[in-house]
Amino acid sequence: MSTTAKAYGTEAAEAPLNQLNITRRNPTPHDVEIEILFCGVCHSDLHVARNEWHSTIYPTVPGHEIVGKVVNVGGHVSKFKVGDIVGVGCMVDSCQECEYCKESMEQYCVNEMTQTYNSPDKHLGTHTFGGYSESVVVDEKFVLRIPENLDLAGTAPLLCAGITTYSPLRHWNVGPGQNVGVVGIGGLGHMGIKLAKAMGAHVIAFTTSESKFEEAKRLGADEVVLSKDADQMAAYKGKLHFILDAVSANHDVNTYLSLLRVDGSMVLVGVPEHPLSLASFNLVIGRRSLAGSAIGGIAETQEMLDFCGEHNITADIEMINIQDINEAYERLLKSDVKYRFVIDMASLKD
Ligand code: NAP
Ligand code: ZN
């Protein structure tokens, strides 16, 4: 049993996004039906809409930074009730049985998490559709509580950009006494600055955009480096304990590795289309590590939201209507957003 919902998506990599209808299942006993109020625009949405990761199933409806209101609950739902304000991030299901699911790391599920969009849909037999839509139906295990004090539109980006930066900062124990670099001050990077600062680190922002140079300090950076300037970069050689790289496009990671101290770690969260090139000496000299990290588990996502509630942290956003999404993608490609587009889903009713 299912219903039709209005959404925005695309039928092909070269085609713009436009309005289309999708199918949503009727809530099963463990499901929550959510009217979507706001949805953030992640660079992953663009990578997938344009098939840059060569795995897109069309038509695709992106969106995995969802905040909405519960409008219906299944008979066995215990965590939520009609009227609650809730969030949904990048995952809507996982096997719940493998070693990683049991350790609350559903994002690394051996049997593959079901992503909010572009994954096989176990219920309908089609594929999942994301948050550029009027509604979504999700198992309550994958639905998050939103702290009451946070602005809802600014909270939407926490569901991906927030957790994707929080998780590695926590995993690598970032905190006081450490110099932490954040590379690429977009949706993820600006959250990385805010979170690393709230965890007590000394934060150094690396940007290619002169227009973000002064502003990065307002976000919480203690120092800002224009990464195109070789002299500015050289001043940080061997100084950083940890680097979070949130760049969406291909770039040289080797210069950044040389900024790490002995035993320092650089963690990639950005996933550019093409492979990166690595000079081994940059790891060997200094016993440095290069690692990656994907979003975060559900328990950790709730922990991040509660941390943001406590520290009053939300994303800096530019609100758009869904009809502006194609222009927003073009601006995203030019690093021209401060720092996250969020779609006001009421515009889908227009
Ligand atoms: P975004 O808002 O577009 O930010 C990317 C930033 O990278 C830009 O603002 C810019 O920062 C910098 N940049 C862009 N092009 C560059 C270039 N050619 N050279 C150097 N720097 C460049 O993107 P986002 O939404 O934060 O996502 C960032 C990446 O993370 C994407 O690849 C996305 O798919 C990925 N992602 C991964 C996960 C995960 O689980 N690992 C989750 C979500 C997203 P400056 O202007 O400061 O230079
Ligand atoms: Zn994302």
Side-chain angles (χ1 to χ4, degrees), residues 179-186 188-190 192-193 202-217 219-248 251-253 255-260 265-266 335 339:
N179 296 328
V180 170
V182 179
V183 185
I185 313 308
L188 267 58
H190 97 291
I193 294 177
H202 181 86
V203 181
I204 302 148
F206 293 88
T207 182
T208 59
S209 303
E210 285 177 47
S211 72
K212 297 176 188 170
F213 196 82
E214 282 306 320
E215 273 186 51
K217 292 202 173 140
L219 296 172
D222 297 285
E223 300 176 56
V224 189
V225 178
L226 200 55
S227 52
K228 296 182 281 197
D229 182 329
D231 291 339
Q232 285 191 39
M233 291 291 280
Y236 290 86
K237 244 178 175 290
K239 298 252 163 69
L240 304 189
H241 297 80
F242 181 83
I243 298 175
L244 186 69
D245 182 332
V247 174
S248 54
H251 62 292
D252 180 21
V253 294
T255 316
Y256 289 105
L257 287 170
S258 74
L259 306 188
L260 288 172
S265 299
M266 171 156 169
S335 306
Y339 285 86

Side-chain angles (χ1 to χ4, degrees), residues 41-45 64-65 90 117 160-161 164 188 295 340:
V41 178
C42 179
H43 207 112
S44 303
D45 299 352
H64 57 204
E65 293 184 337
C90 303
Y117 59 88
C160 172
T164 303
L188 267 58
I295 50 174
R340 196 55 137 189

